[in-house]
Amino acid sequence: MVRRNTTLREELVKHFSAKREPLRRGWVRQMRAKGLLEGLTLQEIETESRILYTMCLDCLETGQYDSALACTRRRTKQGVLGGQTPEQIMDRLAMLHDVCRKSLFRRYRDEVDRLAKLFDLYAPVANRLQTLIVFACVEERERMDRGEMSQLRMLVKAGMILSAKLSLEDVLQRIANMACKLTNARYAALGVLDGKGGLSRFITAGVDEATRQAIGAPPAGKGILAVLIREVKPLRLKNLTGDPRAHGFPPHHPPMNSFLGVPVVSKGKVLGNLYLTGKQGADEFSEEDEALAMTLAAQAAIALENANLYEELRRSYDELKQSQQLLVRQEKLASLGRLAAGLAHELNNPLSSVAGFAEALQRRVETEELSDPSALAEVGQYVTMIQNEVTRAAAIVRRLLDFARQREPTFSPVDVYDVVLNAVSFVERQASLENQQIVVTPFPDGSVVLADTQMLQQVFLNLLTNALDAIESGGEIRIYAHHRREVIEPALEQEWLDVFVSDTGSGISPENLPRVFDPFFTTKEVDKGTGLGLAISQSLVEQHKGTIEVQSKGVGKGAVVIVSLPLAERSGRLGGVVTRP
């Protein structure tokens, strides 16, 4: 029986060997007709068909499958990675078996028994060979899936780096490190352009600190690096040093052969380049490596674009802050100008008293003997009165200087009632001269907020001067306050201080009410206001985490300004936030 099978096997091998080229060419024609050879060159078709045909013949002749399995694994790997799917490889092999069976049928169709025996001998070999193909394809697919999952995890991690609170240097360094891992490169670098044809940053991966120090200064963007900067497209080289455009390496530089460079581009603007050298496990970088590098370069572009946007935002913020400080200073100077008349009258009273007491002293010195005890006592009284008036005048000037002084804001616990009284002291003399009345009702106990005294004083001084401009002779301004609790969470409440500044003045029309906080908006006469008072007051209040609101029922019906500020720590409670029972 064994001898008979051996004879049949030899007959099969002899038949397929003799018909090798006709069967192979017929097999190729059928595969082409079925579209199974698309994407392959003529050379690749010839090589592929010969390898598979020979592998099938070897299995028939030897009955061994080890070499076939090794060959199948190699071909499957090359096929999958070369764009040929496992299904395409299976379909080609199935078509080969069909061609072989038809060939046997044509040769032995008049010998039915012999044909059946040959089919019985050939079928297990063909089926096992197909099984090997399936096994190799599944094995390769699993390997690729693991690799793709690993790459996917790395790319997701690269995306997460952009959202982490890291410096630009750290983000670029991590992207360079990932580029090495994903493409299996020995070295990587990220060069950031300086806008002048050179590099402002050069982040490396795979080079230790000692080697980096030995190499010295980073590259200036010449040679192959200059080609990338100039041409703005990916560049793959099998031998970097052999390229005529290369400028060579400085002393102590590690040797590098294969090279891959891709541009870092954002919105059509080249920001830099990602460089990879020393492909491990292959002679050169592949198209897949190039695609991965392009993805990482896009991540680097986002990081650089974010850094540029942040820098522009920071500059704009600094400019805005300077402009705001200038506006606050100008409004403060305007307030000082409006206060000048009232303060001049207020200073005139103590100065007049000083002048009168000094004149009386002079008369006593000229007409009376100062050795008399009663005369000395009267002189002492005059001197005390002069000192008191001088102290009073000095206090007025000091308040004015404190208000005008420019300094950095400092936040500390401040009693708002005291701040309001101090602001009122600046304008009460002017108000009395115009027959205007300012009434301040004592605030509730504990009306303390975390504030900058000078900033808060300017807020209330702006509100008072606006109110005085709005009311006529005989008008009234009232200032009062109360505490309020606001539920911010089911178990938490915020305590607020609401300060009301109401007047009986000209009021605000409904169409103008939404615009009162717009910078430079004013309904006052020319040279009587800048239109910045309320806008600046709003900014100052918001810096204290508070709010400001203006209410009016219409023209001629007065107005109310409500300043709401969070109460400071009180009875062991921080920032006015309390836990509800």
Side-chain angles (χ1 to χ4, degrees):
M1 183 68 179
V2 174
R3 182 176 180 80
R4 187 182 304 166
N5 285 343
T6 302
T7 303
L8 289 172
R9 185 184 301 275
E10 290 174 352
E11 188 173 346
L12 270 176
V13 172
K14 184 179 178 180
H15 171 78
F16 288 132
S17 295
K19 298 287 186 179
R20 176 192 294 266
E21 282 305 304
L23 290 178
R24 189 186 63 80
R25 286 195 296 270
W27 174 39
V28 169
R29 283 196 298 272
Q30 288 193 32
M31 286 193 293
R32 184 176 282 118
K34 294 291 185 179
L36 294 176
L37 299 179
E38 292 181 2
L40 294 177
T41 65
L42 182 61
Q43 180 63 39
E44 287 172 337
I45 292 171
E46 290 292 313
T47 302
E48 184 82 11
S49 61
R50 282 195 173 95
I51 287 174
L52 285 175
Y53 192 95
T54 302
M55 184 170 59
C56 183
L57 199 59
D58 288 344
C59 290
L60 274 173
E61 184 175 6
T62 65
Q64 302 296 319
Y65 296 89
D66 291 342
S67 60
L69 177 60
C71 181
T72 300
R73 282 173 172 165
R74 288 195 302 272
R75 300 311 299 164
T76 304
K77 184 175 182 180
Q78 293 172 5
V80 171
L81 295 179
Q84 303 170 40
T85 66
E87 292 77 10
Q88 287 175 320
I89 298 174
M90 288 291 297
D91 288 344
R92 290 171 191 169
L93 193 58
M95 197 164 287
L96 172 60
H97 295 331
D98 185 59
V99 167
C100 290
R101 282 192 294 267
K102 287 180 179 178
S103 173
L104 287 173
F105 178 78
R106 286 193 298 270
R107 170 68 180 79
Y108 296 100
R109 61 185 172 183
D110 295 332
E111 302 175 56
V112 178
D113 291 341
R114 195 168 188 81
L115 178 61
K117 291 174 182 178
L118 289 171
F119 274 160
D120 289 342
L121 190 61
Y122 173 75
V125 175
N127 291 337
R128 185 159 186 183
L129 196 56
Q130 283 185 316
T131 302
L132 289 177
I133 291 285
V134 171
F135 176 77
C137 288
V138 171
E139 190 178 53
E140 176 60 22
R141 176 53 62 194
E142 287 179 350
R143 188 193 67 81
M144 287 191 63
D145 287 344
R146 287 194 298 272
E148 289 172 358
M149 284 299 296
S150 177
Q151 290 178 349
L152 181 60
R153 282 194 293 270
M154 292 289 287
L155 291 174
V156 169
K157 188 175 180 182
M160 292 171 64
I161 286 174
L162 297 179
S163 61
K165 294 181 179 179
L166 299 172
S167 66
L168 176 62
E169 205 82 8
D170 288 338
V171 170
L172 296 181
Q173 183 65 66
R174 294 194 181 192
I175 290 175
N177 294 342
M178 284 186 181
C180 277
K181 292 179 181 178
L182 282 172
T183 61
N184 207 22
R186 187 178 297 277
Y187 307 107
L190 249 170
V192 181
L193 299 181
D194 60 4
K196 303 174 184 177
L199 300 173
S200 63
R201 282 186 175 91
F202 195 74
I203 312 296
T204 62
V207 181
D208 58 59
E209 185 59 31
T211 305
R212 193 180 293 113
Q213 293 296 330
I215 294 172
K222 297 180 179 179
I224 293 297
L225 303 190
V227 174
L228 274 169
I229 293 172
R230 184 174 60 252
E231 296 185 0
V232 196
K233 62 181 181 180
L235 176 63
R236 276 189 288 152
L237 301 173
K238 189 172 183 179
N239 185 4
L240 172 62
T241 55
D243 193 283
R245 298 167 293 182
H247 275 205
F249 298 114
H252 311 293
H253 197 287
M256 295 180 176
N257 39 41
S258 53
F259 175 85
L260 169 61
V262 296
V264 176
V265 182
S266 176
K267 300 176 182 176
K269 181 181 179 183
V270 182
L271 304 178
N273 289 286
L274 173 62
Y275 315 104
L276 298 160
T277 61
K279 173 69 174 179
Q280 301 179 98
D283 293 334
E284 59 183 320
F285 290 97
S286 65
E287 291 183 6
E288 184 182 8
D289 293 329
E290 183 180 314
L292 288 169
M294 290 293 289
T295 301
L296 288 172
Q299 302 278 29
I302 293 172
L304 289 169
E305 187 67 23
N306 288 345
N308 291 338
L309 289 173
Y310 175 78
E311 185 61 26
E312 290 178 12
L313 181 63
R314 189 187 61 78
R315 282 198 301 268
S316 299
Y317 174 77
D318 289 343
E319 291 172 0
L320 180 62
K321 188 176 180 181
Q322 290 175 1
S323 299
Q324 186 184 44
Q325 289 173 346
L326 180 61
L327 287 174
V328 170
R329 182 68 177 163
Q330 290 175 339
E331 179 63 16
K332 186 179 288 186
L333 291 174
S335 298
L336 288 172
R338 291 195 294 270
L339 296 173
L343 290 173
H345 285 290
E346 194 168 351
L347 280 172
N348 188 55
N349 289 336
L351 290 176
S352 297
S353 298
V354 168
F357 292 133
E359 185 179 350
L361 277 175
Q362 186 177 10
R363 284 199 303 270
R364 284 299 181 95
V365 169
E366 291 174 353
T367 59
E368 296 185 16
E369 206 46 62
L370 293 181
S371 57
D372 181 44
S374 61
L376 284 174
E378 192 172 353
V379 167
Q381 291 177 355
Y382 286 161
V383 171
T384 300
M385 291 178 182
I386 289 173
Q387 289 175 336
N388 291 338
E389 292 301 320
V390 167
T391 300
R392 178 183 166 195
I396 295 170
V397 173
R398 186 165 54 251
R399 288 206 317 273
L400 189 62
L401 291 175
D402 285 343
F403 178 71
R405 186 177 296 115
Q406 191 171 7
R407 59 175 178 78
E408 288 296 318
T410 55
F411 290 79
S412 60
V414 172
D415 191 317
V416 181
Y417 182 61
D418 292 340
V419 174
V420 169
L421 292 180
N422 199 33
V424 168
S425 69
F426 277 100
V427 297
E428 60 183 350
R429 175 68 182 181
Q430 181 180 352
S432 64
L433 292 174
E434 298 290 336
N435 193 29
Q436 297 166 328
Q437 189 174 8
I438 302 175
V439 179
V440 182
T441 303
F443 288 9
D445 292 339
S447 297
V448 177
V449 301
L450 285 175
D452 178 88
T453 303
Q454 190 181 88
M455 291 168 68
L456 213 53
Q457 183 173 292
Q458 183 170 356
V459 170
F460 289 110
L461 190 56
N462 286 346
L463 300 183
L464 284 167
T465 53
N466 278 349
L468 288 172
D469 288 342
I471 63 177
E472 299 176 352
S473 178
E476 182 181 79
I477 299 172
R478 286 189 171 272
I479 303 175
Y480 54 95
H482 62 67
H483 293 178
R484 169 174 56 88
R485 285 192 176 190
E486 177 186 11
V487 177
I488 54 177
E489 287 184 15
L492 291 177
E493 293 181 343
Q494 171 72 57
E495 289 186 299
W496 292 86
L497 171 68
D498 294 331
V499 181
F500 298 80
V501 181
S502 67
D503 65 67
T504 58
S506 55
I508 306 169
S509 65
E511 60 270 19
N512 286 335
L513 196 58
R515 303 177 59 196
V516 293
F517 291 109
D518 293 350
F520 305 107
F521 174 76
T522 181
T523 57
K524 298 178 183 179
E525 299 174 7
V526 178
D527 297 330
K528 200 170 183 182
T530 62
L532 290 172
L534 281 176
I536 289 174
S537 295
Q538 184 183 44
S539 174
L540 297 178
V541 169
E542 287 176 352
Q543 290 181 54
H544 288 78
K545 296 182 173 57
T547 61
I548 184 170
E549 178 187 0
V550 177
Q551 298 176 353
S552 178
K553 294 183 179 180
V555 176
K557 297 182 179 181
V560 180
V561 181
I562 307 167
V563 176
S564 299
L565 299 167
L567 286 168
E569 183 177 350
R570 183 165 64 93
S571 301
R573 298 192 290 267
L574 181 62
V577 177
V578 297
T579 302
R580 300 179 71 190

